[in-house]
Amino acid sequence: MSQRVYVVGAGIIGLTTAFELSERGVSVTLIDPAPASGASHFAGGMLAPVAEVQYRQEPLYPLMRESAALYPDLLERLGRVTDLPLGYHNHGTLVVAADRADAQHLAELTEHQQAHGMEAQRLTLREARRLEPALSPALAGVVSIPSDTQVEPRLLTAALRDALTRRGITFLKATVTGLSEGHLDTDRGPLDTRGAQVVLAAGLGMASISTGLRLRPVYGDILVARSPGLLDRVVRGFVRDRPIYLIPRGETLAIGATSREDHRGDTPLGAVRDLLDDACQIVPALEEAGLVEWGTGARPGTPDDLPYLGRISPQVVVSTGYFRHGILLAALGGLAGARLALGEAPGFDLSACAPQRHK
């Protein structure tokens, strides 16, 4: 296989793929008009293969666990190349329920997780508030997931970009508008890719490349509040059956979990209201926090919400459609995408992620 690879897309998936290729001494050109500005910029960053499970997505569970297990090695190798912070925190996760109905939802989810061999420990509210005193004393249920951790996506993507720059990777600020065997069309002119491999990791940008993959935008709203020291752990929860997450990031706290398919790329006031109401019900002290940022990102979803990861031609590998799991699956997706581009076995069972399955 070629030792020259074009990676289209510089979100978390494209960046980790390029990094894994650089680890093998491959010449990489990374193409993106605005690196790390899409879904990765607005992501929560939870490495949560237990808390993030969704019913009817069982084929994804082993890949989620395998990717989480790959992260320590990825971060250790990345830290050898860059001295920028990586934003990794391993304090674990608490999942809480606001009322009785939410507690039933949480109990059913916990049973599902345990039935699939995942570690999820029920705590009393007193035990939970010893760990996180800011939690509301009125919560109806708490589960601890010590193995679920987090990274700060903006720090991680900045570190990846720095590492790739240090290794001499070529960054091309362009939009790919089409491809055929032997060349890529871009808004800055055609690129000759004869003798090279191409990895398409452009997320929703795949629509302009016309590969026939079925992707849709799923919008997620996120808020950032200034609240130093309020929480140590990620706190996820259900409030009136709505999911909510609170992610401590040093001086600030990210609040998110909306999932909209209404084609609105702005941030609806109703979503902001619901996020703030739910967050303050779980952690009442947040009412005193200052709101410093809000935004909306569009995540690439597939018809079954499983990624497209695999080869679609002798020259082209696809790695997209990661939906809510882009940060979590980046360690596995980057490694598998690099291996596939180099003609190697991916090392994981990717049958559920076959790119041609919806054609």
Side-chain angles (χ1 to χ4, degrees):
M1 277 289 180
S2 168
Q3 293 297 300
R4 187 165 59 96
V5 180
Y6 291 83
V7 178
V8 181
I12 187 67
I13 300 298
L15 289 169
T16 52
T17 303
F19 178 74
E20 293 294 358
L21 288 165
S22 77
E23 289 278 86
R24 292 154 175 78
V26 177
S27 173
V28 180
T29 299
L30 191 55
I31 309 170
D32 194 305
S37 64
S40 300
H41 183 75
F42 296 100
M46 292 168 291
L47 306 180
V50 179
E52 287 280 347
V53 297
Q54 299 283 316
Y55 299 112
R56 296 185 297 278
Q57 287 191 9
E58 286 81 358
L60 198 55
Y61 295 177
L63 298 181
M64 293 164 67
R65 291 196 293 265
E66 287 172 340
S67 192
L70 289 170
Y71 252 98
D73 177 67
L74 169 63
L75 296 174
E76 195 275 331
R77 288 184 287 116
L78 179 59
R80 296 179 199 162
V81 187
T82 177
D83 54 7
L84 293 182
L86 307 181
Y88 177 67
H89 308 281
N90 63 351
H91 300 301
T93 295
L94 298 180
V95 187
V96 304
D99 59 25
R100 280 188 174 184
D102 295 319
Q104 181 61 35
H105 183 167
L106 179 57
E108 292 170 358
L109 177 61
T110 302
E111 290 174 5
H112 180 76
Q113 292 161 336
Q114 293 174 339
H116 285 83
M118 302 175 189
E119 183 182 8
Q121 308 163 349
R122 291 181 176 86
L123 299 182
T124 66
L125 183 53
R126 179 175 294 181
E127 290 171 331
R129 296 190 75 223
R130 285 197 198 106
L131 297 174
E132 295 293 349
L135 290 175
S136 168
L139 295 175
V142 184
V143 168
S144 172
I145 305 177
S147 60
D148 279 2
T149 59
Q150 61 147 318
V151 291
E152 297 185 39
R154 296 179 191 180
L155 294 182
L156 180 57
T157 55
L160 284 162
R161 292 174 67 184
D162 181 63
L164 292 171
T165 299
R166 289 170 182 250
R167 283 190 166 162
I169 296 303
T170 300
F171 284 85
L172 178 60
K173 289 195 173 183
T175 298
V176 174
T177 57
L179 82 159
S180 60
E181 201 67 30
H183 80 274
L184 287 169
D185 294 322
T186 82
D187 59 357
R188 294 183 56 181
L191 295 175
D192 184 352
T193 62
R194 286 174 295 181
Q197 288 284 297
V198 176
V199 179
L200 299 177
L204 290 168
M206 298 288 285
S208 65
I209 305 174
S210 301
T211 58
L213 301 178
R214 295 170 58 187
L215 293 167
R216 72 191 194 283
V218 184
Y219 294 95
D221 309 300
I222 191 165
L223 315 177
V224 179
R226 191 175 306 285
S227 54
L230 189 59
L231 293 174
D232 289 324
R233 295 160 183 77
V234 172
V235 175
R236 306 173 66 102
F238 302 101
V239 180
R240 294 182 292 277
D241 209 36
R242 289 195 297 252
I244 182 79
Y245 60 67
L246 312 175
I247 309 172
R249 295 175 176 171
E251 295 292 304
T252 62
L253 187 89
I255 304 168
T258 60
S259 188
R260 300 184 287 103
E261 299 194 40
D262 53 12
H263 302 289
R264 286 191 59 175
D266 59 355
T267 307
L269 290 179
V272 175
R273 176 202 61 214
D274 290 345
L275 287 172
L276 291 176
D277 285 349
D278 295 350
C280 291
Q281 188 161 341
I282 290 173
V283 178
L286 273 172
E287 292 183 357
E288 304 299 321
L291 186 62
V292 296
E293 182 184 335
W294 60 90
T296 297
R299 298 159 291 194
T302 67
D304 56 11
D305 292 332
L306 303 180
Y308 291 132
L309 179 54
R311 182 171 290 282
I312 61 171
S313 80
Q315 188 183 25
V316 179
V317 172
V318 164
S319 185
T320 189
Y322 287 84
F323 188 33
R324 299 170 64 246
H325 306 302
I327 304 297
L328 169 59
L329 290 175
L332 181 144
L335 183 58
R339 287 172 172 170
L340 288 167
L342 296 177
E344 304 171 7
F348 313 99
D349 180 3
L350 301 180
S351 55
C353 304
Q356 313 287 0
R357 68 185 183 277
H358 295 132
K359 290 190 175 182

